[in-house]
Amino acid sequence: MPRAGLSAAAVAAEAADLADTEGLGALSLKAVAQRLGVASPSLYKHVAGLDGLRREVAVLAAREFGEALGAAAMGRSGPDALRSVAAAYREFARTRPGRYAALNTAPPPEDTEAAAAFRRAAEVLAAVLRGFGVAEEDLVDEIRALRAALHGFADLEARGGFGLPDDVDRSFDRMVERSIAGLRSQTTASDAQAPSGRR
Amino acid sequence: MPRAGLSAAAVAAEAADLADTEGLGALSLKAVAQRLGVASPSLYKHVAGLDGLRREVAVLAAREFGEALGAAAMGRSGPDALRSVAAAYREFARTRPGRYAALNTAPPPEDTEAAAAFRRAAEVLAAVLRGFGVAEEDLVDEIRALRAALHGFADLEARGGFGLPDDVDRSFDRMVERSIAGLRSQTTASDAQAPSGRR
DNA sequence: CACCTCTGGCTAACTTAATTAGCTTTTCAG
DNA sequence: CTGAAAAGCTAATTAAGTTAGCCAGAGGTG
């Protein structure tokens, strides 16, 4: 009965790793407990059951995701920033598929901590587009289009939706360049510089 | 003990409806059996357990999805076809979210029946793009970009990923027009007319 | 150093859903 | 009319989540 020295963070991290390697669907209290060398009821001292565990994983993933995108955007702007962020987005989804999948459940609005973690990633995209020269009035539409393209690609790739062996990297690069070209054609010269920045 | 008159198709249809109304995650043998007025073990006479039920729902959904896209493309070509198919795609995802979600698990390649059902939808997109004038060598990339945009948008919308109330219809229309513009700019005049057509 | 209390882990017990086994009755071909 | 396959059922098993309540160990305190 030596203490296992767990914590909510340690449990969430182990759960996230399990999700990455075995798939989010394989995430269970039982499996996480075994990996940590404890009995499953012990986890209740750290997380609020299976739902709570999922929530912790989602928050952890959202934080890491936001950080990854933010780091990719740092020191860059315009097309350069977009390429870098897009690459980081896909890279995250590929290397941490369980975490990425965990992101795809919007947290309830009353869970402000989770919502904040989720918002960060969206804000990076907003910043990139705004710095790209997108007018404030078009920003919401542009963010949605960009998110759709990136998420759709990452999700299809992760699920094996791209059946053909054809070079997926090239497809992605082309899609990103297409987005850049579209943004350019639409940007109205006004370099935009407004305050707010959600979604 | 009057016979309930079930069949694999009837079970799958009930399951798909349940998934649409309660969410794919709520799909269980228990719930489907209750809706059909039978005991859960009875379902085993029609489907191969929970996994089998999921598979049936996926195949059903794939067929309906392919039909919906095909119908939308019929009699149209070029931008007109793309707009119509895109609208049908989103409409399907919105009105039948459980079925749409069920589509997002690629069937194992050895399940040829399921694979065929899934392929049909992809072929409609391929046909639209090919008839659009996309060169055969670019087709794979273009299909992937289009699928990514449509799936990403539909998926984010379904999951409540678009937090803001801003007009989602407009965002979608703009994204589709952006795709059309991108295709136009890239189309190389060669009107293309090659045989094969998967993915 | 002895003691006290809180924390973290454990075992036992309960619930729900999936699944299997084996029984029974309906249906319908002959 | 008869008999067998099909379609439902009940009973029983297994796995996972969850709750309740016990117990030891860690750390602070007199």
Side-chain angles (χ1 to χ4, degrees), chain A residues 164-185:
Chain A
L164 299 193
D166 300 48
D167 193 341
V168 178
D169 290 351
R170 192 185 73 146
S171 296
F172 186 73
D173 290 342
R174 288 182 138 204
M175 184 183 77
V176 172
E177 293 308 321
R178 177 69 60 82
S179 295
I180 291 171
L183 282 164
R184 278 213 179 96
S185 73

Side-chain angles (χ1 to χ4, degrees), chain A residues 3-39:
Chain A
R3 292 288 172 93
L6 296 185
S7 67
V11 172
E14 192 67 38
D17 288 349
L18 190 161
D20 282 339
T21 56
E22 305 293 322
L24 187 59
L27 182 59
S28 69
L29 291 173
K30 193 80 172 296
V32 172
Q34 283 183 336
R35 282 178 156 232
L36 292 169
V38 300

Side-chain angles (χ1 to χ4, degrees), chain B residues 76-100:
Chain B
R76 299 171 196 271
S77 69
D80 193 29
L82 184 44
R83 286 189 194 98
S84 177
V85 169
Y89 189 113
R90 179 166 170 239
E91 180 70 6
F92 187 94
R94 295 181 73 181
T95 60
R96 289 175 271 184
R99 284 167 162 86
Y100 184 73

Side-chain angles (χ1 to χ4, degrees), chain A residues 37-74:
Chain A
V38 300
S40 32
S42 303
L43 296 182
Y44 283 78
K45 289 287 161 71
H46 303 287
V47 298
L50 184 57
D51 286 344
L53 180 64
R54 293 203 181 106
R55 186 260 181 196
E56 296 298 329
V57 171
V59 172
L60 172 68
R63 287 212 182 95
E64 293 180 359
F65 188 55
E67 271 175 41
L69 295 193
M74 211 164 324

Side-chain angles (χ1 to χ4, degrees), chain B residues 94-130:
Chain B
R94 295 181 73 181
T95 60
R96 289 175 271 184
R99 284 167 162 86
Y100 184 73
L103 290 178
N104 292 331
T105 298
E110 64 271 21
D111 186 346
T112 57
E113 185 197 8
F118 272 71
R119 206 169 315 141
R120 191 166 311 181
E123 276 166 6
V124 172
L125 295 186
V128 168
L129 292 179
R130 197 178 286 113

